[in-house]
Amino acid sequence: DGGITQSPKYLFRKEGQNVTLSCEQNLNHDAMYWYRQDPGQGLRLIYYSQIVNDFQKGDIAEGYSVSREKKESFPLTVTSAQKNPTAFYLCASSPTGISNQPQHFGDGTRLSIL
Amino acid sequence: ILNVEQSPQSLHVQEGDSTNFTCSFPSSNFYALHWYRWETAKSPEALFVMTLNGDEKKKGRISATLNTKEGYSYLYIKGSQPEDSATYLCASKDDKIIFGKGTRLHILP
């Protein structure tokens, strides 16, 4: 079945460590997105990529980094510079970055600080 | 930055009743309005994407309308069923997509 796979489902990090969240899609979509959800908040855009080897900052990119070396993969690294990394992270994709196409979401990764 | 507002935040509806809730968004520089359903322990699922003022879309018992001039969209559920219990997210897009905080719908048996 086509879809988006995020791993792991739960992730624990010690303070000061970088950690990478995986997002893989086999939908042949050009565009991919990373969102963060905190309690009582809507999904907030961290980074997005409309094509391989290109990505743009979203609204809350500080303390995060991404790469898009392959069409199917868009990993997110939470760096030690992110002061409040505990959150639920969702990855999504769409056929292109055109606004009238719905996004397909993964199941999410919950990151916690030890 | 856009501000997308959804109301109510939470809603309890008796099984069999119909209901509706609202998504408000800035009407300037509008490109598209998305609705998603997010069930507990699952991933958000796309319901509708609407772009034109006056658009109406329907999927089974769920329908949505769009008013881009005044900046709002309504989502309607007819004859609520237990499986409709979920959080309903709307998102508006200009150059980036901005999500509201969602309406949490509980269907009471």
Side-chain angles (χ1 to χ4, degrees):
Chain A
D1 280 355
I4 298 182
T5 302
Q6 289 188 242
S7 61
K9 198 175 179 88
Y10 299 95
L11 190 55
F12 299 92
R13 186 194 103 171
K14 292 183 181 178
E15 282 200 47
Q17 283 184 338
N18 292 354
V19 63
T20 297
L21 281 60
S22 169
C23 179
E24 304 278 329
Q25 53 100 358
N26 59 4
L27 299 166
N28 200 33
H29 286 175
D30 283 328
M32 296 186 76
Y33 311 82
W34 273 107
Y35 296 94
R36 168 182 171 138
Q37 189 193 36
D38 295 283
Q41 300 255 11
L43 298 180
R44 291 186 290 167
L45 183 65
I46 304 172
Y47 267 98
Y48 64 104
S49 167
Q50 298 198 28
I51 200 163
V52 175
N53 292 321
D54 187 50
F55 49 82
Q56 284 79 41
K57 292 182 180 180
D59 300 316
I60 55 165
E62 186 175 348
Y64 299 98
S65 66
V66 292
S67 62
R68 187 84 187 279
E69 296 175 3
K70 298 186 293 183
K71 187 175 186 178
E72 59 269 23
S73 179
F74 190 40
L76 174 75
T77 296
V78 185
T79 75
S80 57
Q82 170 50 239
K83 296 307 176 191
N84 188 21
T86 296
F88 184 68
Y89 292 86
L90 270 175
C91 178
S93 71
S94 60
T96 69
I98 296 174
S99 59
N100 63 350
Q101 294 173 336
Q103 296 188 5
H104 299 252
F105 286 86
D107 289 337
T109 292
R110 188 167 297 279
L111 175 64
S112 301
I113 299 301
L114 293 178
Chain B
I1 296 178
L2 289 179
N3 199 23
V4 176
E5 301 286 347
Q6 290 189 248
S7 63
Q9 187 174 341
S10 180
L11 189 57
H12 291 76
V13 174
Q14 203 68 42
E15 182 177 349
D17 287 352
S18 297
T19 187
N20 66 85
F21 28 91
T22 308
C23 173
S24 302
F25 54 90
S27 52
S28 59
N29 210 28
F30 169 85
Y31 286 158
L33 192 287
H34 296 223
W35 279 103
Y36 294 87
R37 174 169 59 202
W38 194 356
E39 295 179 66
T40 303
K42 294 187 178 181
S43 54
E45 170 199 1
L47 289 173
F48 307 112
V49 179
M50 296 183 287
T51 57
L52 298 175
N53 185 46
D55 257 354
E56 290 189 29
K57 294 213 172 178
K58 189 174 179 183
K59 192 176 191 176
R61 293 179 292 100
I62 302 177
S63 60
T65 61
L66 179 67
N67 183 323
T68 61
K69 293 185 178 178
E70 296 181 41
Y72 64 84
S73 174
Y74 292 134
L75 189 82
Y76 299 91
I77 301 178
K78 186 177 177 182
S80 303
Q81 298 297 309
E83 60 264 29
D84 297 328
S85 293
T87 296
Y88 291 83
L89 301 176
C90 75
S92 181
K93 192 171 190 302
D94 53 5
D95 61 334
K96 285 183 296 210
I97 192 163
I98 304 291
F99 281 82
K101 295 180 183 179
T103 291
R104 183 74 179 96
L105 177 63
H106 306 263
I107 305 302
L108 306 171

